[in-house]
Amino acid sequence: MGSILSLPWFDFTVSGVVIGSIYALMAVGLALIFGVANLINFAHGAVFTVGAYVGWVCAVALGLPLWATVPLVALGGGLVGAGIEYIAIRPLNRQSRIAPLLATIGVGLILDQIVHILFGANPRALPVPMPGWRVSVGQGSIGPIDITIFVTAVIAAAALYAFLFRTRLGMAVRATAQDEDAAKQMGVNIHAVNMAVFAIAGALGAIAGLLVGIYYNAIDPNTSFQIMLKGMVAIVIGGMANVPGAIGGGVILGLIESYGIALFGASYRNLFAFAVLLLMLLVKPNGLFAKGREREAEPMTGTFVIQSMPVRPPGWLLALGVAAAALVPLAGQPYLTQVMTNAFLYALAAISLTLIAGTVGLVSIGHAALLAIGAYASALLTIAGLPVALGLVAAAAITALLGTALAYPAFRLRGHYVAIGTLAIGEIVSLVILNWTSLTNGSMGVFGIPPLTLFGVDFFSTNPSYWLVLGLVVVFALLQTRLLSSHLGRTWRAIREDTVAAETYGVGSNYYKGLAYGFAGFTAGLAGAVTAHQFSYINFDTFNLLTSVLILTIVILGGLGNVTGAIVAAVLVAGLPEMFRVLAEYRMLFYGAALLLLIRFRPRGLLGSG
Amino acid sequence: MTPSLTRRGLAGLALGLALGGALPALAQSSGEPVMIGVSGPLTGPQAQYGALWKQGFDLALERINAEGGIDGRPLEYTFEDSQNDPRQTIAIAQKFISDPAIVVEVGDFSSTASMAASPLYQRGGLVQFGFTNSHPDFTKTGDYMWSSSISQSQEQQVMADYAVDRLGLRRIAVLHLNTDWGTTAKNIFVEEAKKRGAEVVAAEGYLPDEKDFRATLTRIKASDPDGLLLESYYSDGALLVRQIREVGIDLPIVAVGSVYSPDFLSLAGDAANGVHTTAYFTPVSPRPEVQAFIKDFTAEYGQEPNNFNAMAYDTMNILAEVMRRHGTTREEIKAGLGEISGVPSVLFPEVSFDPETRRVMGLEPTELIVKDGAFQLFQP
Amino acid sequence: MSSGALLSATGVTRRFGGIIAVDGVDLHVREGEFLSVIGPNGAGKTTLFNLISGQDRMDEGRVMLEGRDITNLSPRRMAEAGVARTFQHGRVFGNLSVMDNVLIGCHTRLRAARPRVPVVAPVLEILRALIRPASVRAEEAAMREEVRAIVATFGERLTPRLDEPTYALSYANRRRVEIARALALHPRILILDEPTAGMNESETVEMRDIVDALKRQGRTILLIEHKLDMVMRLSDRVMAMDNGRVIAEGTPAAVRDDPKVIEAYLGHATIGGGEPAEASLMPGTSRAAGGVQ
Ligand SMILES: Nc1ncnc2c1ncn2[C@@H]1O[C@H](COP(=O)(O)OP(=O)(O)O)[C@@H](O)[C@H]1O
Ligand SMILES: [Mg+2]
């Protein structure tokens, strides 16, 4: 293997450290927040973006010097951070841990969209005069900004470490993190502490945005989620709440990516990042730097399903609803029909997610992966010559099997580790599709997927395809409702309520989670497959993270576990913005606000969780 | 660069109101408007391109309607936001097809998003004019798919000519967007380079949201190339050239024509110097159509137009000319596209379509190099 | 192994870091016997029961049930072997109805609904749940009938509330549901961890009567209890623990009068009667959190 040895490993190491220090800078803020609020702040990436744009306004539009820009950026980020605490965290104090996590996703979407509306999607240059020198390292060079990023990360971590372990407020912060009730009794003002921490983390995130913007001389409003995810992987490596560990985690992630690129090529980068994430969650959930077998992290029990009685609409009303839906094409508005077809495809996906996230309690942020598997399975099989009808069924079955197998590692995770784990699995599926070119045609996607023709009958025209999808929704809603009324329904819900107690009474929770995933995978696979035949073209990005978040929003809106609710919510969320296309420009704002407001004011959803 | 889009948006709004008020008085064109349906991204990751389109469309329509529109009827468009998402483009297609006022459809941005809707337009008998759809298969769905975009096989032949024949590169490393567009471009380029006796020694794909290329470039460097070819858009292309210089690669860079944008220069800064590219639309062209367009555009928006502005501008002019000469029904437009020739254009010497491929014939690319922070004619 | 024992644990040891929570404990229960384990807080009682019922894994020791080695089986296998337990802090399924809670106790006995065929069992189980052949329907009906019968042994406390979610029940009623759920397993041995924790006096008396009734049905019962009154009345035998070790074993009276036991309790400042301090430190299980009634 002389060729491997002859690679410029030193240069790869430098590259890894350079990008790793950016991850580290993100991770320090995330770790600080996790340490105090026991929460992954998904809005941290949006704070990063806000920081970059505040920086642009100061440095470019107003022409301020760097020494004036940095404190203003920190101030802006601090305010946004404090705002996140005030809006998304504080009111949810008494809810399950997953609630604030989802709320931060909502806030992130809103912030991104606001930046987008104010500044447009065009990347902007952020030319800030920097000293012109560069240091030669290996064959390349690093400049003052590379060094600034690394040094900022280290100083921030060191300062926070000193703050947490040497100052009174720091003690209060840690006391809050360890036991909120006890801290309260000792006179610690928890709200103030939390807000201070979010403000500090926000300032740090914003400065990261500014520095990284200067480094690349480019800022754009679509960076948030990616950079946040990398920061998240870094803190999982470093230990969720371990602030100095975050630096190590960031650099290690940078190195893993860099070496991965060295060995396999650039398109594998994110695959490595998410594989490492999943591996860490499963093998060393306390991080690489955890000392020995630490006391297990507090099991984040208590699912998102709060105590409520679901609304049970009478049968005649449901029948009436279905009948009305069946009449939609008669309105003679193909656009409306197509929008409703899309909405019902989302409904099918939401029915399957509401089983997993609602009934069984595995809140998944990777559900789009099941759609993708179904879509690719049916597309590839039918292109290879299988009739479409068989392709759909085979795709559903394959998704049931493969989806269950892929999700299996996440079954042993709890609370919002499930959310992170499923997110990673979802990204891994999409990246495997991207890289497994011989099977999936890679980034080219799959063209020429046959249209929906079942047994020689046209189901691809607007109206027949609508009725087909509506039919599938009705059938699978009925099937799932029937399952929920069987021993499976109570067994799944028992697992959700208390896995330990369920196991004590002989319930094999992994087996039953598998059954739920199998059934949900079948439904979702079918939804993905139908979508593929409708589009005639799919690629690895057709079903992405945003799709997953959207489906989850639908499920929460409908009421976790509530089948009827999932359908109604799909029509509202996926249908409404399209019907009022004036809203289209603010669609993401709408989704984000819907998610945030729901979790805040009606966590049981419209029709109640079951 | 203008301070922010909002301010520009407000200015545009004010301008629109002023024009709206002025229109009846001037009475340049009146009667039932001729309506074009545009499907494109106004939100989402590709939103900037929708904004660029609008600028080009609006400028063209202002002129067309000032000159009397289509036989006295004003030419207008309705822009539906697709987010460049195939889910949306098919719904929008339903909407346009069923709306008898729409006589021709324009867009969507990516070939992927467009091609999802193509079967619908084909069945619905409405021309889908994909002016940014360079995918070689885009016009193959049926005879209602037309494009004024240079196809990728045309474009990559030009790139290979430039890199291999003009610059004499023999060991080329390709960096490409890992999307259907970038991968198709890379694949065609590999073929074309081989035909010309050069070898592609490395090909690395990257995702559109990637920002860091240092490790990738280290790998590229290890393959010992004598030049780099970028199949990139302008924003990622700018990130790339900066980092190419930072990791100490000092080789010739040829970038596909989509980097041709003032934003490429501002984003890449000094690192842009020495980058080769080609353009069909370029301000350094002496042709009067081009100079008039640049003057009008700069006066209207306070910034120089880029390639996407120009393509959008051309699209409206081509369609207007087809309608003037051949009529405004859906079928007349389809037939007219096959017959029309000699339409003045910003991108091409003159536009006519090959009725077989339904793409523009007779391209004349201009070879450019960045010098002193500006695109200039390349003279070896 | 002592002859005639239904359950016998020998040398059971569990360490948490430096602490030896359970230190070489032997425990034997005969069929139909009522054995109580007493001891101050932190003595290791709950940990011992967790080890016997599979919630936790022991570092050393062995547990036999009817001559079968059940050491460190998973909780699920323990349930299948016939070990049923309640939890000190109460673990009903809050969003499930009383009926569904108790039906979960029947889970190990489902035959028609849970086909035990290799490989295709998952698919069959879903299909049967969808199609519901007569055998499945009959089994479900029988289980429901049985649940009603079990619940009826608690008088009129639960029967009217069969379809209410348990989060809406009083604290005492939730403990009753837990016991009903345990009974539905048809356990060979029933393990009760402080069934009266957090109950007031009249509820305690009622719970005592329930446990008494269980004893008179001839069940084999292992009980952890602080309230000595109940222990004295019901137990055939009592075992006292302190610091993870057994310090006394024998008839209720003998253990009560054992000086070591008295010392252990005095050292920890509470004996009998009074509410153990830990109960009030558990907001989740305190009466205040007991929901509406
Ligand atoms: N999971 C655990 N980790 C660490 N120590 C534990 C754990 N569970 C119990 N202990 C310790 O073991 C000892 C016995 O606890 P426990 O069995 O609950 O006592 P009891 O039920 O007799 O009140 C106590 O010191 C307790 O702190
Ligand atoms: Mg105890």
Side-chain angles (χ1 to χ4, degrees), chain A residues 295, chain C residues 16 19 21 40-48 88 278:
Chain A
R295 207 190 150 101
Chain C
F16 293 112
I19 309 166
N41 277 322
K45 307 181 296 292
T46 298
T47 306
L48 174 64
Q88 179 174 354
E278 73 181 298

Short mmCIF file of all heavy atoms in Angstrom, two decimals, chain A residues 295, chain C residues 16 19 21 40-48 88 278, ligand 1:
data_model
loop_
_atom_site.label_atom_id
_atom_site.label_comp_id
_atom_site.label_asym_id
_atom_site.label_seq_id
_atom_site.Cartn_x
_atom_site.Cartn_y
_atom_site.Cartn_z
N ARG A 295 -21.63 7.39 35.84
CA ARG A 295 -23.04 7.18 36.12
C ARG A 295 -23.81 7.48 34.85
O ARG A 295 -23.62 8.51 34.21
CB ARG A 295 -23.47 8.14 37.22
CG ARG A 295 -24.63 7.62 38.02
CD ARG A 295 -25.15 8.72 38.91
NE ARG A 295 -26.57 8.52 39.11
CZ ARG A 295 -27.06 7.98 40.22
NH1 ARG A 295 -26.27 7.65 41.19
NH2 ARG A 295 -28.36 7.80 40.35
N PHE C 16 -22.01 -1.03 43.50
CA PHE C 16 -22.07 0.20 42.71
C PHE C 16 -20.81 0.98 43.02
O PHE C 16 -20.72 1.59 44.08
CB PHE C 16 -23.29 1.05 43.08
CG PHE C 16 -24.59 0.42 42.71
CD1 PHE C 16 -25.47 -0.01 43.68
CD2 PHE C 16 -24.96 0.28 41.37
CE1 PHE C 16 -26.68 -0.58 43.34
CE2 PHE C 16 -26.17 -0.30 41.03
CZ PHE C 16 -27.04 -0.73 42.02
N ILE C 19 -19.64 1.20 46.68
CA ILE C 19 -20.68 0.69 47.59
C ILE C 19 -21.03 -0.74 47.25
O ILE C 19 -21.20 -1.08 46.08
CB ILE C 19 -21.97 1.54 47.45
CG1 ILE C 19 -21.66 3.03 47.58
CG2 ILE C 19 -23.03 1.10 48.45
CD1 ILE C 19 -22.80 3.91 47.12
N ALA C 21 -24.03 -2.70 47.56
CA ALA C 21 -25.44 -2.48 47.88
C ALA C 21 -26.07 -3.76 48.40
O ALA C 21 -26.91 -3.74 49.30
CB ALA C 21 -26.19 -1.97 46.65
N PRO C 40 -33.73 -0.55 57.14
CA PRO C 40 -33.77 0.90 56.97
C PRO C 40 -33.54 1.29 55.51
O PRO C 40 -33.13 0.47 54.69
CB PRO C 40 -32.62 1.40 57.84
CG PRO C 40 -31.72 0.24 58.01
CD PRO C 40 -32.56 -0.99 57.94
N ASN C 41 -33.81 2.52 55.22
CA ASN C 41 -33.57 3.02 53.87
C ASN C 41 -32.12 2.83 53.46
O ASN C 41 -31.21 3.06 54.24
CB ASN C 41 -33.90 4.51 53.77
CG ASN C 41 -35.38 4.71 53.57
OD1 ASN C 41 -36.01 3.93 52.86
ND2 ASN C 41 -35.93 5.70 54.23
N GLY C 42 -31.92 2.41 52.24
CA GLY C 42 -30.57 2.21 51.75
C GLY C 42 -29.98 0.89 52.15
O GLY C 42 -28.81 0.62 51.89
N ALA C 43 -30.80 0.02 52.77
CA ALA C 43 -30.27 -1.27 53.22
C ALA C 43 -29.96 -2.18 52.04
O ALA C 43 -29.17 -3.10 52.15
CB ALA C 43 -31.29 -1.94 54.15
N GLY C 44 -30.59 -1.94 50.93
CA GLY C 44 -30.32 -2.77 49.76
C GLY C 44 -31.50 -3.64 49.36
O GLY C 44 -31.36 -4.53 48.51
N LYS C 45 -32.66 -3.37 49.94
CA LYS C 45 -33.83 -4.23 49.68
C LYS C 45 -34.27 -4.15 48.22
O LYS C 45 -34.43 -5.17 47.55
CB LYS C 45 -35.00 -3.79 50.59
CG LYS C 45 -34.64 -3.73 52.07
CD LYS C 45 -35.82 -3.33 52.92
CE LYS C 45 -36.34 -1.92 52.66
NZ LYS C 45 -35.44 -0.84 53.07
N THR C 46 -34.46 -2.91 47.76
CA THR C 46 -34.91 -2.75 46.38
C THR C 46 -33.90 -3.33 45.40
O THR C 46 -34.25 -4.00 44.44
CB THR C 46 -35.17 -1.26 46.08
OG1 THR C 46 -36.21 -0.80 46.93
CG2 THR C 46 -35.56 -1.04 44.63
N THR C 47 -32.63 -3.07 45.69
CA THR C 47 -31.59 -3.60 44.82
C THR C 47 -31.66 -5.13 44.77
O THR C 47 -31.56 -5.74 43.70
CB THR C 47 -30.21 -3.14 45.30
OG1 THR C 47 -30.22 -1.71 45.41
CG2 THR C 47 -29.13 -3.55 44.34
N LEU C 48 -31.86 -5.74 45.92
CA LEU C 48 -31.97 -7.21 45.97
C LEU C 48 -33.14 -7.69 45.11
O LEU C 48 -32.99 -8.62 44.31
CB LEU C 48 -32.16 -7.65 47.44
CG LEU C 48 -32.43 -9.14 47.64
CD1 LEU C 48 -31.23 -9.97 47.20
CD2 LEU C 48 -32.79 -9.44 49.10
N GLN C 88 -41.51 0.18 43.75
CA GLN C 88 -41.62 1.02 44.94
C GLN C 88 -42.29 2.35 44.64
O GLN C 88 -43.09 2.84 45.41
CB GLN C 88 -40.22 1.25 45.51
CG GLN C 88 -40.21 2.12 46.74
CD GLN C 88 -38.82 2.20 47.35
OE1 GLN C 88 -37.90 1.51 46.93
NE2 GLN C 88 -38.67 3.04 48.36
N GLU C 278 -37.78 8.89 52.59
CA GLU C 278 -37.59 8.95 51.14
C GLU C 278 -38.89 9.23 50.39
O GLU C 278 -38.89 9.82 49.33
CB GLU C 278 -36.95 7.66 50.62
CG GLU C 278 -37.90 6.48 50.61
CD GLU C 278 -37.23 5.22 50.12
OE1 GLU C 278 -36.80 5.21 48.97
OE2 GLU C 278 -37.12 4.26 50.91
N1 LIG D 1 -28.23 2.63 40.24
C1 LIG D 1 -27.54 2.85 41.36
N2 LIG D 1 -26.33 3.43 41.28
C2 LIG D 1 -25.59 3.66 42.38
N3 LIG D 1 -25.98 3.32 43.63
C3 LIG D 1 -27.19 2.73 43.80
C4 LIG D 1 -28.02 2.48 42.67
N4 LIG D 1 -29.16 1.88 43.13
C5 LIG D 1 -29.03 1.79 44.46
N5 LIG D 1 -27.85 2.30 44.87
C6 LIG D 1 -27.36 2.33 46.25
O1 LIG D 1 -27.50 1.05 46.81
C7 LIG D 1 -27.91 1.15 48.15
C8 LIG D 1 -29.17 0.35 48.38
O2 LIG D 1 -30.28 1.02 47.81
P1 LIG D 1 -31.75 0.41 47.81
O3 LIG D 1 -31.66 -1.00 47.36
O4 LIG D 1 -32.61 1.32 47.02
O5 LIG D 1 -32.17 0.45 49.34
P2 LIG D 1 -33.61 0.20 50.01
O6 LIG D 1 -34.55 -0.24 48.96
O7 LIG D 1 -33.31 -0.82 50.99
O8 LIG D 1 -34.02 1.49 50.62
C9 LIG D 1 -28.06 2.62 48.48
O9 LIG D 1 -26.87 3.06 49.07
C10 LIG D 1 -28.20 3.25 47.10
O10 LIG D 1 -27.70 4.56 47.09
#
